Amino acid sequence: MTAWLSQFFLHPSFVLPGAALVALPVIIHLINRMRFRRVRFAAMEFLLLSQQRNRRKLLLEQLLLLFLRMLAVVLLVALIARPFFDPSQLLILAGQKTHHVVLLDDSGSMDETFGGTSAFRSALETVRKLGRQGVSQAGTQNLTLLLLSQPDQPLFTQASLDPQLIGELEIKLENLKCSHRGLNLVTGLQVAGQQLKNPAASKHLHVIADFRNRDWGLDSAVASSLKELEGKGIDINLVRSTPSAHDNLAIIELAPIGNVAAANIELRLRTKIKNLGDRAIDNIRLSVMQDGQKLPRTEMFDRLEPNAEVEREFGVVFDKAGQHEVHVVLPEDSLEADNIRYLTVNLSPSNPVLIISGNFESGKSDRKAADLRDALAPEPGRTPFTPEINNVGYLRREALDKFGSIYLVDVPEMPEDALRAVEKYVATGGGLVWLVGPKVRPGFYNEKIYKSGTGIFPVPLGAVTDLISDPENPVQDIQFENHPIFRKFLGQNNSHVQDVRVSKYFGVARDWQPPPTVQVIGRFRDKAPAFLEQNYGKGKVIACLTSAGVDWTSWPRSASYVPLQLELQQYITRPEGSRQTEYLVGQPIDIVLDPTQYKDQLEIRPPDATAIVRLTAARSKTDEDLPGAAANSQFHETFRNTDDPGIYTIRRFKTDNSEDPEILAFNVPATESELALAETAEMKQRLGNGSRIKIHEYGDFSWIQSRQAGQEIREMLLYLILAVLLFEQLLAMRLSYHLNTGQPRPQAEKLRRGRNPAIQGLATAASKSVSSERSEKSVTGGRA
């Protein structure tokens, strides 16, 4: 009985004892009637006829008064038992249950720690309390539990809340942890809405999250989704899992400067740190780890203001080619995952660069190409590049994919098949540099290479133009835009190129405007384009409209020539291989194996290294996305369990029993480091003034033990009790006897004035009878 009553009362144990108290007014009434003895005498017979006419009215008034007193007891018991009746609860009688959908945020910011706990652990405790409260109403409550990281895979789906389910729920919650991902709350709300489409006595959505400010902008899709669900009659609770935002310092970037690295040559890295808290932080120490070993150096930052970020460059040196990892570490704070950032570096034994010279002939030297080769590699081991000089015919004979970049130096024209090979090379991610010269034929370039803006040359060439010197105007001959390859020559560093002189260059039509894929990154003194960058497919094209030799410019003899070529190579060279090596947590790892070289077995070691995952790749149904591959010729496998940041190691096994390892770096998204909370007032404003969506602050669990409908009933009960007691008092006063000692009753007075002594005696008896009748009414109808 108590379990059944728990569907309607928060304190069902008070209901049955309270029901017994309803009989108390009846018992008091019966006891009072036993206090009087009935005495009949002749004079009363005269008045009985009059009493018969008023008896029914008097009885109804007495019963009404008794009912009001019983109703007052019922209402007082109900107020103590706290009913939460909702009209939808009547559907329980038709076999339907209340459906609770819990959407649990497990994004990276939920790992924020405070006071010995975390936002995620706080959210788990809220789920436990919901489950325990549901068990107290066993048989009437269903639970669906969704994780925001995988809402389409519910942990429970409309499971009936009972003690057995609570045991299963506890086991699953104990093993849950944050995904560290940046997640979309809107996607989770859409799935939750689908779950709540099934019929139910009442529908409740509980969103347990940290509700960061970044999700509640002016055009908040979260607020729109919540209002849409509210419009479908769903009761929505937004439950905070953290009390406030805490100080947080995050590493938001770790990246190499350039695309090329080599053994025993310093690799420059860039890292960025941001203060996402509300107060300045002093004396920040950044440690650098290389291949698991802490380097004997620490980067120091004196002070970082709120919402400010700082960039720092540093160098590392690897003693051998191959794959290496670097990570940087900050001291612990409220969010641990963003205090470390990982990077993998793949050092090739060599980084070949192809130089195609229009002046190259076998056995004869070409000064322009030789100057370029010496700038890229003055001696073995000094730079990561190994340049190779050849002629245009080489483009037709050899595969180009092994080169990180290609220079075309003063090439007059190219055979069609050579041009197609270069176009394919750039489209697949290769880097191409055009250095024009006196041998270049503008007509061929414009028709065959520029192709009205669709080719791999960024601009239509005009006539050769003289750059006339102006002794009165000391402006340098080449002006640089803010671009990575010129970063060493901007600002105060312009002195490196002040001595460069340009005498001739290829002009461009004045009405030419660069399309979106082309950018002018340098100009001559007369504002004509000097350097241009073009995006072509996955690759980049850089064109210089003056010569690489001293016939048109003095640049090859300038001290700025070598650093410019090195910076250019770092920018334009295709990274080793085309495979992505840095991921965000949650991204899947797609693995493709060639059956002619690899077995279908592979191993993946996650960052914690507690277990090795062994996988068997399956043959793909189609390989349409793999150019040149025959259908059903590849092994495919996808590894999705990448929620933890760190280094993932993949081991492939070749058919000759050798191994092919690869390491990948996974980092947390920078957006999850933004811990600023959305203010409750702002959230309510986004939801609208008329919204019934309830926002519950951190640590407030009263909403779990009560419901809004119940609170409305309690208020109604209070007003109803006051009304019943007031009406009972008025009715009791009307039915009770009030003795007036100053004036005799009108009926008795009139009889006393009669002339017949018999009548006077009867009047006297009548007066006494009326007094006796009123006295009895005062006992039966007055206050007990």
Side-chain angles (χ1 to χ4, degrees):
M1 178 62 74
T2 302
W4 182 81
L5 290 173
S6 65
Q7 303 174 41
F8 308 101
F9 297 93
L10 285 178
H11 304 304
S13 59
F14 291 97
V15 176
L16 294 179
L21 293 177
V22 175
L24 186 60
V26 179
I27 294 172
I28 295 175
H29 171 73
L30 295 176
I31 291 175
N32 283 335
R33 289 185 63 88
M34 293 173 62
R35 293 170 52 192
F36 298 93
R37 182 169 56 88
R38 293 179 179 273
V39 179
R40 300 183 66 85
F41 55 95
M44 285 296 296
E45 298 298 330
F46 179 79
L47 298 175
L48 287 177
L49 295 175
S50 176
Q51 186 184 20
Q52 290 294 333
R53 294 193 299 269
N54 298 324
R55 182 178 182 86
R56 179 173 296 178
K57 178 182 178 183
L58 182 62
L59 181 61
L60 290 176
E61 289 176 340
Q62 290 178 340
L63 290 177
L64 178 59
L65 181 61
L66 186 61
F67 171 76
L68 289 175
R69 290 172 175 170
M70 295 172 67
L71 180 60
V73 174
V74 170
L75 293 177
L76 286 172
V77 172
L79 190 63
I80 296 173
R82 296 181 66 183
F84 49 80
F85 176 74
D86 189 322
S88 63
Q89 294 284 349
L90 296 176
L91 296 175
I92 294 177
L93 302 177
Q96 297 183 13
K97 299 181 180 181
T98 298
H99 189 190
H100 297 271
V101 173
V102 178
L103 180 60
L104 180 60
D105 184 2
D106 59 340
S107 60
S109 60
M110 287 287 286
D111 205 29
E112 178 191 16
T113 58
F114 51 89
T117 185
S118 70
F120 190 66
R121 288 195 292 271
S122 171
L124 295 181
E125 185 59 29
T126 303
V127 177
R128 292 187 179 96
K129 289 181 180 292
L130 272 171
R132 288 194 289 266
Q133 180 63 28
V135 171
S136 67
Q137 306 169 37
T140 66
Q141 310 291 313
N142 283 343
L143 173 69
T144 296
L145 180 57
L146 309 175
L147 289 178
L148 189 57
S149 60
Q150 44 188 7
D152 54 342
Q153 302 177 28
L155 298 181
F156 296 99
T157 304
Q158 284 196 286
S160 180
L161 277 168
D162 53 34
Q164 180 180 354
L165 181 69
I166 290 299
E168 297 176 10
L169 177 64
E170 183 61 36
I171 293 174
K172 290 195 175 184
L173 294 183
E174 191 68 27
N175 295 324
L176 286 181
K177 61 179 182 179
C178 275
S179 66
H180 298 108
R181 302 185 201 174
L183 302 175
N184 188 349
L185 191 56
V186 174
T187 302
L189 291 173
Q190 292 172 348
V191 176
Q194 293 293 327
Q195 292 286 342
L196 287 166
K197 280 188 174 181
N198 297 327
S202 59
K203 302 176 182 181
H204 303 272
L205 172 61
H206 312 291
V207 184
I208 309 176
D210 47 13
F211 300 112
R212 304 295 178 180
N213 197 41
R214 60 178 180 270
D215 296 325
W216 293 85
L218 291 177
D219 300 322
S220 174
V222 174
S224 300
S225 299
L226 287 169
K227 288 188 284 188
E228 181 180 351
L229 293 175
E230 181 188 16
K232 297 178 180 179
I234 299 172
D235 178 61
I236 302 176
N237 292 294
L238 305 182
V239 188
R240 290 190 185 273
S241 60
T242 182
S244 60
H246 301 82
D247 292 336
N248 185 38
L249 199 63
I251 306 172
I252 60 175
E253 182 184 14
L254 176 62
I257 301 174
N259 296 326
V260 184
N264 297 312
I265 297 177
E266 184 182 58
L267 173 65
R268 300 296 296 174
L269 302 178
R270 177 182 62 250
T271 186
K272 289 183 181 179
I273 300 173
K274 187 171 184 179
N275 181 5
L276 294 143
D278 295 329
R279 64 181 184 89
I281 300 179
D282 299 321
N283 301 322
I284 303 169
R285 302 171 65 89
L286 180 72
S287 301
V288 181
M289 307 286 289
Q290 176 179 322
D291 292 331
Q293 301 295 322
K294 186 178 184 302
L295 297 182
R297 62 179 301 167
T298 300
E299 300 295 328
M300 293 294 301
F301 305 87
D302 294 334
R303 185 178 180 86
L304 193 56
E305 298 294 334
N307 294 317
E309 65 180 53
V310 62
E311 180 179 307
R312 180 68 57 86
E313 293 184 9
F314 62 93
V316 293
V317 178
F318 301 98
D319 58 1
K320 61 181 179 180
Q323 295 182 330
H324 301 270
E325 68 94 5
V326 179
H327 63 269
V328 290
V329 185
L330 285 173
E332 292 185 4
D333 57 15
S334 60
L335 191 61
E336 183 179 354
D338 62 8
N339 294 334
I340 184 169
R341 200 159 190 92
Y342 299 88
L343 174 70
T344 58
V345 179
N346 189 9
L347 303 185
S348 299
S350 64
N351 293 282
V353 177
L354 178 61
I355 301 174
I356 299 297
S357 173
N359 301 310
F360 179 81
E361 296 181 12
S362 180
K364 296 183 180 180
S365 62
D366 173 24
R367 188 67 264 166
K368 296 177 183 178
D371 288 343
L372 188 58
R373 178 195 59 201
D374 294 342
L376 295 176
E379 59 183 58
R382 289 287 301 276
T383 72
F385 306 108
T386 53
E388 174 184 341
I389 301 176
N390 222 306
N391 58 19
V392 174
Y394 185 89
L395 301 173
R396 311 168 62 181
R397 302 188 303 268
E398 304 292 339
L400 305 180
D401 290 341
K402 65 180 180 180
F403 297 101
S405 64
I406 297 176
Y407 280 86
L408 295 176
V409 182
D410 200 11
V411 174
E413 59 184 32
M414 300 171 62
E416 188 69 25
D417 52 353
L419 182 58
R420 285 198 303 269
V422 175
E423 289 175 341
K424 179 181 178 182
Y425 167 80
V426 178
T428 56
L432 179 64
V433 181
W434 293 95
L435 297 176
V436 299
K439 287 191 173 184
V440 166
R441 299 176 182 176
F444 177 84
Y445 271 62
N446 293 340
E447 180 183 356
K448 299 295 184 180
I449 305 179
Y450 174 67
K451 297 180 181 178
S452 300
T454 63
I456 57 172
F457 198 81
V459 63
L461 291 177
V464 176
T465 303
D466 293 327
L467 186 61
I468 301 174
S469 61
D470 185 359
E472 297 181 358
N473 185 3
V475 176
Q476 61 193 41
D477 285 0
I478 300 179
Q479 309 288 327
F480 297 124
E481 301 292 333
N482 187 6
H483 192 273
I485 67 175
F486 303 131
R487 65 189 183 94
K488 291 186 176 181
F489 308 105
L490 297 176
Q492 297 299 322
N493 294 327
N494 271 334
S495 58
H496 290 284
V497 292
Q498 294 231 352
D499 59 340
V500 174
R501 293 291 176 263
V502 177
S503 59
K504 296 180 183 295
Y505 65 89
F506 273 103
V508 177
R510 292 186 178 276
D511 59 350
W512 176 81
Q513 295 295 326
T517 57
V518 176
Q519 177 186 4
V520 178
I521 60 175
R523 295 182 181 273
F524 295 113
R525 177 163 35 84
D526 59 1
K527 304 304 180 182
F531 288 88
L532 302 100
E533 178 182 0
Q534 176 186 12
N535 294 321
Y536 187 87
K538 296 181 180 180
K540 293 184 176 68
V541 177
I542 298 291
C544 175
L545 300 189
T546 189
S547 174
V550 294
D551 43 4
W552 283 10
T553 176
S554 64
W555 206 338
R557 301 294 178 260
S558 169
S560 62
Y561 187 72
V562 172
L564 174 66
Q565 298 304 330
L566 294 177
E567 291 294 327
L568 176 59
Q569 280 301 303
Q570 289 285 0
Y571 178 76
I572 204 171
T573 297
R574 173 168 49 189
E576 177 63 22
S578 58
R579 183 170 176 79
Q580 180 181 358
T581 58
E582 184 177 5
Y583 295 75
L584 293 179
V585 289
Q587 287 185 260
I589 303 175
D590 292 319
I591 303 169
V592 180
L593 302 175
D594 184 352
T596 62
Q597 300 183 37
Y598 293 93
K599 299 179 181 180
D600 61 353
Q601 304 294 318
L602 65 150
E603 294 179 354
I604 296 180
R605 182 187 295 271
D608 56 16
T610 56
I612 297 176
V613 181
R614 293 179 172 83
L615 303 173
T616 300
R619 285 187 179 272
S620 60
K621 294 182 180 179
T622 61
D623 288 312
E624 297 176 356
D625 296 333
L626 303 174
N632 303 319
S633 65
Q634 305 289 325
F635 289 132
H636 279 195
E637 182 56 62
T638 301
F639 182 72
R640 302 184 184 278
N641 189 17
T642 59
D643 286 342
D644 293 327
I647 301 297
Y648 289 75
T649 303
I650 303 174
R651 295 176 63 196
R652 303 176 183 84
F653 301 97
K654 292 188 174 182
T655 54
D656 61 1
N657 294 323
S658 62
E659 295 184 7
D660 181 15
E662 182 181 14
I663 58 175
L664 306 176
F666 280 76
N667 292 301
V668 297
T671 53
E672 289 303 299
S673 300
E674 301 172 7
L675 301 183
L677 298 180
E679 297 292 338
T680 299
E682 180 184 1
M683 294 171 64
K684 290 182 178 180
Q685 181 182 358
R686 298 286 183 265
L687 295 171
N689 294 329
S691 176
R692 293 176 289 105
I693 297 175
K694 296 170 284 295
I695 303 173
H696 305 287
E697 300 301 327
Y698 171 79
D700 176 18
F701 299 113
S702 60
W703 63 275
I704 296 179
Q705 300 172 353
S706 63
R707 302 188 185 178
Q708 189 66 22
Q711 294 171 359
E712 293 172 359
I713 289 177
R714 289 202 304 276
E715 293 176 2
M716 182 179 66
L717 286 175
L718 287 172
Y719 291 122
L720 189 57
I721 288 174
L722 292 175
V724 169
L725 291 177
L726 179 61
F727 187 39
E728 186 270 343
Q729 285 291 317
L730 294 175
L731 187 59
M733 183 171 292
R734 179 181 181 278
L735 296 179
S736 62
Y737 172 69
H738 301 279
L739 180 63
N740 190 344
T741 58
Q743 299 293 334
R745 301 293 292 178
Q747 181 183 8
E749 181 65 22
K750 183 177 180 180
L751 289 175
R752 288 193 190 99
R753 291 177 182 177
R755 296 178 179 179
N756 192 326
I759 297 299
Q760 289 180 351
L762 184 60
T764 302
S767 179
K768 294 180 180 180
S769 176
V770 170
S771 298
S772 175
E773 179 184 343
R774 291 301 182 188
S775 298
E776 183 177 352
K777 288 174 66 178
S778 68
V779 173
T780 60
R783 268 275 181 222

